[in-house]
Amino acid sequence: SVPSQTKWSKRHLSWRIRTFPKESHLLGRDTVRALMYYALKVWSDVSPLNFHEVAGSEADIQIDFTKADHNDGYPFDGPGGTVAHAFFPSDRFTAGDAHFDDDEAWTFRSPDAHGMDLFAVAVHEFGHAIGLAHTSAIESIMRPYYQGPVGDPLKYSLPYEDKVRVWQLYGVRDSVSHTERPDTSRSADPPVLLDLPENRSTVPPARDAPDRCSTHFDAVAQIRGEAFFFKGKYFWRLTREKHLVSLRPAQIHRFWRGLPANLDSVDAVYERPGDHKIVFFKGLKYWVFKDNNVEEGYPRPIGDFGLPLEGVDGAFVWLHNEKTYFFKGSQYWRYDDHLRRMDLGYPKDSMLWKGVPPQLDDAMRWSDGASYFFKGKEYWRVVGSDMEVESGYPRPISKDWLLCADMQSDSPALEANGTETRSHGQRHASHAENNYEVCSCTS
Amino acid sequence: APSLTAEQINMGVDWLTKFGYLPPPDPVTGQLQTKEALTKAIKAMQKYGGLEETGVLDEKTLVLMKTPRCSLPDVAEPESHSGRRRR
């Protein structure tokens, strides 16, 4: 292979997708963002580099989907042929930028024959963006020719050949990066967590799965812009557009990796501002997740936050001041996650949140800028920087968030023959049999 | 093997030039590639692509040239070319 084309002197690199594929019916924007996020993560996992998404035009790595001659000396040539390119760190004006041919049929999790696997090509191009040139090594992701999909982005492991070449450029990644934390205050939300479960149809819902229409919830959180409702060992997920991903709950342990197997529920969950890591609370312990994998060294005691050793009912980050609020009983605390320090003068009486009941199940902020408080089967909404519940609340959680009609309860208890039974024992055909199915589209 | 059409040879030379195996034709004299330079370039591309180094644009070589790929060249500017420029 040719010698590497210099390298970045800094370790924190920002990225942004400036233009998305025009034919986005194949891949939604959230999926494109998530695939770019995970393709960059392939390289940051094995090197001291860190990538964070930003919204502005000052990103180090600008990503474009474009076609034909786009004035950079590497014109595309329609479907097939050249499919993408990226610029080495040494390129004066376009260092790190990556261009993908918008005439290609970009795919994700499609059989080999159809289209071009975006994740595989993106990993290759970001190899150039950090300074790796082509190589003839058969195993390498930096071979110039498209080799087809490389499998599940969450399980992809870089070929050793490529790890060695990136270590030669930047050294290995030690557990703690010695450089100061990047200023990610301007960063846009990181992409949604890719949910790449094994084929769900082979996993029948467990008998003890709760009924979302007739239960209260242990924890509720906005994570990467999506809403998660936790109950027992299960959770429901709603996309950024508030679409329920599935009527059936997913199992916490199958998605949130690293929690103890005997954990039967969680108390509170929130996404930490700044590094967007996700914090789970149960009893006197908490876990920190990077994406959906727990970090080393957890669980730790909640005393780290300066919280009383009684546990936590709820936690959320108030958009108005980016402070983290913890609720327990009829009290609340205010914590600064940027300084990692409890603010003085707390706890205070939760009555200050006028109209919000004590003993909450949880709270969360939502993409409409409001804050939501959950208790039992109801929720309350507080707008913007108010501390008073909006009129017309409480409202039913099941109806407004979880696609339940009034008083409907489709108990998940499945009989052997696959039909579902209502909570009061009445047998009814599964939705699919009478041509009625509730579907939700996710990114 | 059937002889190559002029179009295939042109496609091959364009491809080899585009991905760094042949120096771009001299803009002033428009000098064409010599046969040995072409053979050498084809062998380098075949080696890089894991093919038998026949030095001719055989079937497998033409197929590989049609495979979707990254736009960036495989080879930095050929040593001889940049050497000449330096002199």
Side-chain angles (χ1 to χ4, degrees):
Chain A
S1 63
V2 290
S4 66
Q5 307 290 335
T6 72
K7 63 181 189 181
W8 293 94
S9 52
K10 55 185 177 180
R11 292 292 178 266
H12 292 282
L13 298 167
S14 57
W15 62 277
R16 164 193 182 227
I17 302 178
R18 183 163 47 190
T19 50
F20 282 85
K22 299 287 179 298
E23 300 293 312
S24 55
H25 65 276
L26 279 173
L27 290 182
R29 289 187 165 218
D30 274 347
T31 303
V32 173
R33 286 179 64 212
L35 291 174
M36 295 299 163
Y37 174 85
Y38 285 105
L40 286 163
K41 186 172 178 291
V42 163
W43 297 104
S44 60
D45 280 351
V46 296
S47 72
L49 295 174
N50 292 285
F51 299 103
H52 57 278
E53 188 182 13
V54 294
S57 57
E58 72 283 6
D60 297 306
I61 295 175
Q62 298 276 3
I63 299 165
D64 284 300
F65 286 80
T66 179
K67 53 176 73 174
D69 190 350
H70 48 286
N71 303 316
D72 67 357
Y74 292 106
F76 286 128
D77 47 13
T82 55
V83 301
H85 49 258
F87 294 89
F88 294 116
S90 55
D91 273 89
R92 185 135 169 253
F93 300 107
T94 54
D97 291 359
H99 297 165
F100 296 84
D101 187 350
D102 206 7
D103 274 330
E104 305 300 335
W106 294 108
T107 58
F108 166 44
R109 283 193 309 200
S110 283
D112 191 354
H114 305 122
M116 203 65 60
D117 184 73
L118 181 56
F119 175 72
V121 175
V123 173
H124 173 103
E125 297 310 334
F126 293 140
H128 290 318
I130 63 172
L132 297 187
H134 282 155
T135 175
S136 55
I138 294 291
E139 292 306 314
S140 167
I141 192 70
M142 295 312 292
R143 289 193 76 207
Y145 304 101
Y146 175 64
Q147 314 281 311
V150 293
D152 175 345
L154 292 181
K155 296 183 183 124
Y156 177 69
S157 176
L158 205 56
Y160 186 70
E161 149 83 21
D162 300 311
K163 288 179 183 172
V164 171
R165 288 173 70 208
V166 78
W167 290 335
Q168 287 165 346
L169 270 183
Y170 294 99
V172 298
R173 180 178 196 93
D174 52 6
S175 56
V176 177
S177 164
H178 298 298
T179 49
E180 74 287 344
R181 189 181 306 283
D183 168 22
T184 55
S185 56
R186 296 182 320 283
S187 71
D189 291 344
V192 294
L193 296 162
L194 266 189
D195 176 357
L196 297 165
E198 288 68 43
N199 181 337
R200 286 175 185 258
S201 59
T202 59
V203 181
R207 293 186 176 287
D208 64 346
D211 172 8
R212 73 184 191 285
C213 297
S214 62
T215 187
H216 72 275
F217 297 92
D218 301 324
V220 185
Q222 183 195 41
I223 300 170
R224 304 294 166 79
E226 296 187 320
F228 287 72
F229 286 76
F230 296 88
K231 175 65 182 177
K233 295 183 175 183
Y234 298 89
F235 69 94
W236 287 269
R237 178 175 182 175
L238 286 74
T239 67
R240 294 178 170 185
E241 294 74 29
K242 214 172 161 183
H243 295 156
L244 189 61
V245 168
S246 167
L247 299 177
R248 288 180 177 146
Q251 294 178 45
I252 291 175
H253 289 89
R254 288 167 57 84
F255 182 72
W256 297 100
R257 297 194 180 114
L259 289 168
N262 63 349
L263 189 79
D264 58 5
S265 66
V266 294
D267 291 342
V269 180
Y270 79 97
E271 178 183 337
R272 190 160 76 177
D275 61 10
H276 299 286
K277 289 183 179 174
I278 298 121
V279 188
F280 278 65
F281 291 86
K282 175 65 179 175
L284 304 185
K285 297 177 185 170
Y286 76 99
W287 292 257
V288 172
F289 282 75
K290 182 178 182 194
D291 304 320
N292 50 338
N293 295 293
V294 77
E295 294 217 309
E296 286 171 19
Y298 291 93
R300 288 191 53 77
I302 62 172
D304 287 356
F305 291 88
L307 286 166
L309 299 184
E310 299 157 22
V312 175
D313 289 341
F316 86 106
V317 178
W318 197 9
L319 193 61
H320 156 65
N321 58 10
E322 280 271 299
K323 297 277 189 175
T324 302
Y325 288 75
F326 294 111
F327 292 82
K328 178 66 183 173
S330 59
Q331 295 184 304
Y332 76 97
W333 288 256
R334 192 178 76 183
Y335 181 80
D336 187 317
D337 253 314
H338 296 281
L339 303 175
R340 298 285 156 85
R341 185 180 63 199
M342 189 66 84
D343 283 354
L344 301 176
Y346 290 88
K348 292 182 177 178
D349 191 313
S350 64
M351 296 279 283
L352 291 173
W353 290 86
K354 290 192 183 64
V356 173
Q359 273 85 32
L360 285 173
D361 286 336
D362 207 344
M364 81 166 173
R365 77 196 231 185
W366 186 238
S367 39
D368 59 3
S371 307
Y372 290 81
F373 298 83
F374 300 85
K375 179 176 181 180
K377 298 176 186 174
E378 297 178 312
Y379 73 100
W380 291 257
R381 182 171 189 262
V382 173
V383 175
S385 56
D386 292 355
M387 285 186 75
E388 184 166 2
V389 166
E390 200 178 3
S391 62
Y393 288 84
R395 289 186 53 78
I397 298 171
S398 60
K399 188 166 179 291
D400 290 6
W401 293 86
L402 298 170
L403 275 181
C404 300
D406 281 327
M407 305 314 295
Q408 169 194 348
S409 82
D410 45 18
S411 151
L414 278 178
E415 299 299 323
N417 62 1
T419 59
E420 292 184 343
T421 57
R422 285 192 182 286
S423 56
H424 42 282
Q426 174 195 351
R427 187 181 296 278
H428 73 100
S430 74
H431 290 319
E433 281 172 18
N434 52 24
N435 296 320
Y436 165 71
E437 183 61 86
V438 174
C439 300
S440 68
C441 301
T442 61
S443 55
Chain B
S3 61
L4 292 169
T5 63
E7 185 192 346
Q8 283 173 320
I9 293 174
N10 282 337
M11 186 279 280
V13 170
D14 286 349
W15 193 98
L16 291 164
T17 306
K18 184 173 180 181
F19 296 109
Y21 293 96
L22 275 175
D26 189 316
V28 177
T29 63
Q31 176 192 345
L32 297 176
Q33 307 297 346
T34 61
K35 182 154 178 19
E36 67 269 6
L38 187 54
T39 304
K40 188 178 164 195
I42 293 170
K43 282 187 174 178
M45 175 265 175
Q46 288 166 334
K47 179 178 181 186
Y48 209 89
L51 299 178
E52 184 192 354
E53 297 173 47
T54 62
V56 297
L57 290 175
D58 52 38
E59 181 64 26
K60 284 184 180 175
T61 303
L62 290 172
V63 166
L64 189 58
M65 286 180 166
K66 292 190 179 84
T67 303
R69 58 162 289 152
C70 175
S71 318
L72 295 195
D74 300 338
V75 187
E77 252 173 59
E79 201 50 42
S80 56
H81 178 72
S82 52
R84 203 174 27 251
R85 181 181 293 173
R86 221 181 347 264
R87 253 197 318 281

